[in-house]
Amino acid sequence: MRLFFAALRRSHDPLALLLVALVVGVSGWILAMPACRPIQAATLERFHLRTPSYWGWAAQQPIPSMYNFENRYWWFAGPAPEAYRGTAPLFADGQSIETRVVNHFPGRLLTFGDGRYRLLGNGESCHLVLRSRYRGQELATVWNAKASPRGGFDLSRATVVDE
Amino acid sequence: MNAIAVYRTVSGLMLLSLLWKMTVFAIFFRVYATIPLRDSFFPAPLQSNTLLAICYLTIVGLGVGTYATRSWRFLQLQSIVSCVSLFVLCIHQGSYNDVTFVTAWWTSLWCAWFARRAAVDDYATLMAKGSFLAQIMLAMILLGGGVGKWTSEYWSGEVLYEIYFRDRDFWVFNLLRGWASEEMLRWIATWYSRGVVIVESGCFVALWCLPRRVASILAVVVFTSIALFSNFSLFSVLFSAIGLATVGLFPTEATKTLAAKRGAGLQPAILPHGSAG
């Protein structure tokens, strides 16, 4: 660090200072997350693509967040569940469900190539319930992929209300 | 040693990170073409397959071009265009979740700075600044992984047990499942998970404080270990970071041959060899 600032004194370099400020700012944001509920909420919304503004979401994307939070999904055919225990969906007996934990951005199950092929490759509508948890705060969202007459699927989201 | 070699090493490893899953991306591209998913959250251009392909191929093409020129003007252009294209990949519907593009974006940002300053600074000054900037970027990347795991679900090992230990087909986990009882496997998962949390978080402090060469070796070892002991696909994320880590392994003074060629009056300012960033 000492040699960095010594080198900065030898050559005027505002770009390097800007990079340091950017790294310090992002590190500060990350370090504040365990104690700051608004940052937790913003990051949970980011993971579910629920940030109110797309560009607000995009601005957070360079923040490293690999393998953050416990992210669980429930994937099922048929109607979306009407009842939840906490934020975990309750299913009818015999309904086919797959549930797993994934590393980050649980909506990748529908948006990213492998998941999209596996879940939507048969051309049928499907639902996902996504839940991410971090230090007592959690967000649950239902993602509905509805087969479209135009071909492909239309995606919509709804909040799971904790009952 | 000269600045071009440093730049090509970092940029080359970033290129390798993008090529690591090239065949997977090619398959995904076909999936997106055959199963479009319209989502009002993303602006239309950021759901476009064409834009995805243009950005990816531009970065790869310009990355290869790095080895065909020594022009800093071209390298400045290459790094800036790569940086913009990588940001598009970070916010595109088809690629936003892949951390490959996040670590590559930070690396391209460093490259853009380096290419700009290489035409201005002497080698020693450039390396003193470049290695410190690379170190703190790596510290931040590891911190981002670590802090998101400061939660009971990771401390108990439950998350990584489900992701890796339960049924992931990878040599470490296959070996452990064949050897350990279920109870022992959960115990190993707990301490594996705690180890990851401690190493990622601890490296943030270490990379800010350690001398540059030691910090670089530590970062290379940590990043390589993450992929070797959890998932080879992660090399796509980690090659870019390993590229940044190599900056501190380069000497901080130009080689004698180069210095001699430049002549005594043009020798770069010399910093203590191997000294802290």
Side-chain angles (χ1 to χ4, degrees), chain A residues 1 54 67 72 135 151 157, chain B residues 38-39 91 150 162 164 277:
Chain A
M1 193 186 303
Y54 171 80
Y67 288 74
R72 178 172 288 282
R135 302 178 72 86
R157 297 179 187 80
Chain B
R38 283 171 291 277
D39 182 353
I91 61 173
W150 291 0
E162 283 226 29
Y164 285 134

Side-chain angles (χ1 to χ4, degrees), chain B:
Chain B
M1 198 53 66
N2 58 52
I4 285 279
V6 179
Y7 186 89
R8 283 179 175 168
T9 303
V10 177
S11 177
L13 281 161
M14 186 180 85
L15 176 64
L16 187 58
S17 82
L18 291 177
L19 294 177
W20 189 253
K21 292 197 296 194
M22 184 176 57
T23 50
V24 173
F25 292 144
I27 294 167
F28 286 7
F29 186 77
R30 280 174 23 215
V31 169
Y32 299 153
T34 50
I35 314 175
L37 184 66
R38 283 171 291 277
D39 182 353
S40 59
F41 179 76
F42 290 93
L46 289 156
Q47 300 180 54
S48 155
N49 235 4
T50 310
L51 181 64
L52 193 67
I54 288 172
C55 289
Y56 182 79
L57 294 175
T58 300
I59 303 161
V60 170
L62 289 174
V64 172
T66 303
Y67 295 91
T69 179
R70 298 176 70 87
S71 158
W72 284 112
R73 195 174 288 274
F74 171 82
L75 296 176
Q76 281 176 34
L77 182 71
Q78 179 251 341
S79 55
I80 291 168
V81 173
S82 296
C83 190
V84 172
S85 302
L86 281 163
F87 184 71
V88 172
L89 294 179
C90 286
I91 61 173
H92 190 284
Q93 186 198 40
S95 50
Y96 73 89
N97 61 281
D98 195 327
V99 184
T100 299
F101 306 116
V102 176
T103 50
W105 182 77
W106 283 101
T107 306
S108 71
L109 203 58
W110 182 91
C111 286
W113 168 83
F114 192 86
R116 170 85 185 85
R117 295 307 301 183
V120 180
D121 290 337
D122 60 72
Y123 180 78
T125 303
L126 185 68
M127 292 305 288
K129 290 191 287 189
S131 55
F132 178 74
L133 288 174
Q135 261 176 256
I136 63 172
M137 279 184 181
L138 294 173
M140 176 203 62
I141 288 168
L142 284 164
L143 183 74
V147 172
K149 298 184 186 73
W150 291 0
T151 181
S152 58
E153 293 85 1
Y154 266 96
W155 196 247
S156 69
E158 194 58 38
V159 172
L160 289 186
Y161 174 81
E162 283 226 29
I163 292 176
Y164 285 134
F165 287 77
R166 200 171 78 177
D167 54 9
R168 175 64 64 99
D169 183 14
F170 189 68
W171 73 273
V172 180
F173 309 110
N174 292 340
L175 199 69
L176 288 171
R177 277 193 298 274
W179 169 76
S181 64
E182 177 62 20
E183 189 184 358
M184 174 72 87
L185 199 61
R186 284 191 175 271
W187 183 86
I188 295 169
T190 300
W191 286 99
Y192 177 99
S193 188
R194 289 177 184 180
V196 170
V197 174
I198 291 166
V199 167
E200 286 183 340
S201 308
C203 277
F204 170 71
V205 180
L207 291 181
W208 268 90
C209 301
L210 285 174
R212 65 183 206 100
R213 195 171 291 268
V214 180
S216 291
I217 292 169
L218 174 70
V220 170
V221 169
V222 167
F223 286 125
T224 306
S225 304
I226 289 172
L228 290 181
F229 293 105
S230 59
N231 184 355
F232 290 149
S233 297
L234 288 178
F235 274 120
S236 77
V237 175
L238 300 170
F239 272 134
S240 291
I242 291 171
L244 279 179
T246 61
V247 177
L249 299 176
F250 283 91
T252 50
E253 50 189 276
T255 56
K256 283 182 181 171
T257 317
L258 183 65
K261 277 181 186 172
R262 287 181 175 178
L266 295 173
Q267 277 192 11
I270 305 296
L271 290 172
H273 183 70
S275 51

Side-chain angles (χ1 to χ4, degrees), chain A residues 49 73-76 102 105-121 124-130 141-146 153-157, chain B residues 31-32 35-39 42 93-94 96-97:
Chain A
L49 311 190
Y73 73 87
W74 289 265
W75 168 44
F76 49 94
V102 292
F105 292 106
R108 62 178 290 180
L109 260 293
L110 279 178
T111 58
F112 209 35
D114 51 348
R116 193 186 299 192
Y117 179 76
R118 194 165 70 85
L119 271 58
L120 302 177
E124 292 178 13
S125 304
C126 81
H127 310 282
L128 277 181
V129 175
L130 311 177
T141 309
V142 186
W143 284 34
N144 302 302
K146 190 177 174 192
F153 293 82
D154 294 319
L155 185 64
S156 62
R157 297 179 187 80
Chain B
V31 169
Y32 299 153
I35 314 175
L37 184 66
R38 283 171 291 277
D39 182 353
F42 290 93
Q93 186 198 40
Y96 73 89
N97 61 281

